[in-house]
């Protein structure tokens, strides 16, 4: 029989993968009572003949297709769990014990079991639509996993197999949920800086970053020193003197004659600088706005 690998790496007959793909494509997992409701017997025989030729017909009844998947396991020469003693299956109660029994199966049977359990888990995952929870889907698959000659013994053993399959299905569903949680979005504070403080991984836009940087610059203005105040005042005084000279040149139309300043003017400038130095020292602890106002007042006083 031709084999293929499923999405989980299980080597299973290609015909099973073809039927599974068609079942999913036609919305079989959402059909109420899937794998429990029997399909049309006449249609099943027709589909069986086409499947034996390697063809999967389109637009077939999903219940007939699901019934053929169960029949494939039921018609195996040996049951899927026949290599395990029935007592071992009966004693397996926990998820770990059931998983250990699956690992005891031969490779071919183990791959088929893993594929079948995941198929049943896919059905149970949509129980709100198909009304088939883990127990219901395990109940309809259990009789197809073993072959016993005594009907009464087979019926009793089927109950134990049902519990065995149910445990595996619940385990598979829980592992899927855990995998989704682990693969979820990481925390915003996924890194730590040199001070062992959490660093947010959020990356804003360039406009938002520029706005934040501008705000930081506004609140990180350094306290000006005395020398900077003197330079500012000197520049303001020079600019004012040049402006006055330019205005005088425009009114008189004559050239500006540069000359040395008188001693009285030098003493006046010296006194003004001393007064400005004292004023700056007094205003050093004030806010930026008050310092700007003080600078404006000094310029006005110079004028």
């Amino acid at each position: 029989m031709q084999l293929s690998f499923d999405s989980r790496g299980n080597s299973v007959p290609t015909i099973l993968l073809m039927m599974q793909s068609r079942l999913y494509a036609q919305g079989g997992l959402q059909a109420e009572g899937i794998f429990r409701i029997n399909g049309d017997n006449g249609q099943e025989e027709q589909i069986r003949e086409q499947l034996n030729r390697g063809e999967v017909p389109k637009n077939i009844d999903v219940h007939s297709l699901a019934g053929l998947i169960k029949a494939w396991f039921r018609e195996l020469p040996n049951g899927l769990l026949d290599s395990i003693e029935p007592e071992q299956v009966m004693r397996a109660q926990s998820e770990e014990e059931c998983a250990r029994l699956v690992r005891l199966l031969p490779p071919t049977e183990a791959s088929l079991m893993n594929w079948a359990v995941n198929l049943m888990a896919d059905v149970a995952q949509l129980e709100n639509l198909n009304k088939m929870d883990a127990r219901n889907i395990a109940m309809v698959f259990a009789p197809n996993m073993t072959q016993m000659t005594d009907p009464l013994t087979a019926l009793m053993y089927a109950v134990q197999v049902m519990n065995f399959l149910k445990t595996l299905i619940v385990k598979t569903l829980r592992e899927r949920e855990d995998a989704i949680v682990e693969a979820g979005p990481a925390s915003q504070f996924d890194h730590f800086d040199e001070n062992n403080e959490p660093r947010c991984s959020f990356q804003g836009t360039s406009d938002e970053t520029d706005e934040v940087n501008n705000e930081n610059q506004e609140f990180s203005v350094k306290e000006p020193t005395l020398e900077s105040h003197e330079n500012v005042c000197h520049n303001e005084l020079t600019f004012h003197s040049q402006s006055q000279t330019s205005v005088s040149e425009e009114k008189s139309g004559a050239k500006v004659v540069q000359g040395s300043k008188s001693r009285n003017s030098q003493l006046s400038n010296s006194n003004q600088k001393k007064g400005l130095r004292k004023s700056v020292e007094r205003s050093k602890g004030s806010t930026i706005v008050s310092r700007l106002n003080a600078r404006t007042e000094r310029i006005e006083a110079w004028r």
Side-chain angles (χ1 to χ4, degrees):
M1 185 174 294
Q2 184 179 0
L3 301 177
S4 299
F5 290 97
D6 66 356
S7 59
R8 297 174 178 84
N10 298 309
S11 179
V12 295
T14 305
I15 190 61
L16 284 179
L17 298 180
M18 295 171 62
M19 288 191 291
Q20 180 188 26
S21 177
R22 184 56 53 83
L23 179 68
Y24 288 13
Q26 294 189 194
L29 295 182
Q30 292 82 13
E32 184 174 349
I34 191 66
F35 287 104
R36 179 177 57 83
I37 298 177
N38 295 325
D40 185 6
N41 291 333
Q43 190 177 12
E44 280 190 12
E45 291 299 325
Q46 182 181 358
I47 297 173
R48 184 191 292 265
E49 293 178 0
Q50 291 178 289
L51 291 175
N52 288 333
R53 296 194 299 266
E55 303 174 1
V56 180
K58 298 181 179 179
N59 299 322
I60 59 178
D61 179 45
V62 293
H63 295 290
S64 298
L65 192 57
L68 287 173
I69 293 176
K70 292 189 299 181
W72 191 94
F73 286 95
R74 183 172 60 250
E75 296 175 7
L76 286 175
N78 296 309
L80 202 60
L81 293 176
D82 287 353
S83 60
I84 300 178
E85 295 295 331
E87 291 77 11
Q88 290 180 293
V89 177
M90 294 179 182
R91 289 195 301 266
Q93 302 295 329
S94 64
E95 294 181 356
E96 291 74 15
E97 293 174 344
C98 293
R100 182 181 60 82
L101 287 183
V102 174
R103 290 193 294 269
L104 295 178
L105 292 172
T108 302
E109 284 80 353
S111 296
L112 282 173
M113 177 60 68
N114 188 277
W115 179 87
V117 169
N118 278 280
L119 171 65
M120 290 183 276
D122 291 343
V123 175
Q125 205 162 6
L126 297 178
E127 62 174 300
N128 58 323
L129 299 176
N130 53 41
K131 312 302 180 185
M132 296 292 290
D133 57 10
R135 182 179 182 278
N136 291 337
I137 190 65
M139 183 183 299
V140 297
F141 262 89
N144 305 291
M145 296 296 177
T146 61
Q147 292 183 3
M148 290 187 174
T149 55
D150 185 9
L152 182 59
T153 305
L155 181 60
M156 296 176 58
Y157 185 48
V159 176
Q160 304 298 326
V161 174
M162 180 193 70
N163 294 329
F164 174 77
L165 294 177
K166 177 186 174 182
T167 303
L168 293 175
I169 295 170
V170 172
K171 179 178 181 294
T172 302
L173 293 175
R174 180 179 53 78
E175 290 175 349
R176 291 181 181 181
E177 293 177 358
D178 294 342
I180 293 176
V181 172
E182 292 177 359
S187 173
Q188 291 183 345
F189 300 102
D190 52 356
H191 298 288
F192 291 87
D193 56 16
E194 62 276 5
N195 298 325
N196 201 27
E197 292 293 331
R199 181 188 297 116
C200 184
S201 61
F202 171 76
Q203 297 293 335
T205 61
S206 58
D207 294 338
E208 294 172 341
T209 305
D210 294 340
E211 182 179 353
V212 172
N213 291 335
N214 292 335
E215 293 179 356
N216 291 337
Q217 291 177 1
E218 291 177 3
F219 289 100
S220 62
V221 178
K222 294 183 179 180
E223 192 73 18
T225 60
L226 178 61
E227 182 180 357
S228 63
H229 274 287
E230 290 178 351
N231 292 335
V232 170
C233 293
H234 178 69
N235 293 336
E236 293 291 344
L237 293 175
T238 304
F239 175 78
H240 177 69
S241 176
Q242 292 176 354
S243 299
Q244 293 293 340
T245 303
S246 178
V247 172
S248 176
E249 288 176 353
E250 291 177 357
K251 289 181 179 180
S252 61
K255 294 183 178 180
V256 178
V257 180
Q258 296 181 351
S260 61
K261 297 182 180 180
S262 62
R263 178 177 295 274
N264 293 334
S265 178
Q266 293 177 354
L267 292 175
S268 177
N269 289 338
S270 177
N271 293 334
Q272 286 291 341
K273 289 182 178 180
K274 291 180 180 180
L276 290 175
R277 185 179 292 107
K278 292 180 180 180
S279 176
V280 169
E281 291 176 352
R282 287 195 301 267
S283 62
K284 188 174 181 179
S286 62
T287 62
I288 297 174
V289 177
S290 64
R291 288 195 295 272
L292 293 176
N293 292 335
R295 186 181 63 184
T296 304
E297 292 175 359
R298 289 194 297 272
I299 295 171
E300 294 296 331
W302 177 258
R303 291 179 182 175

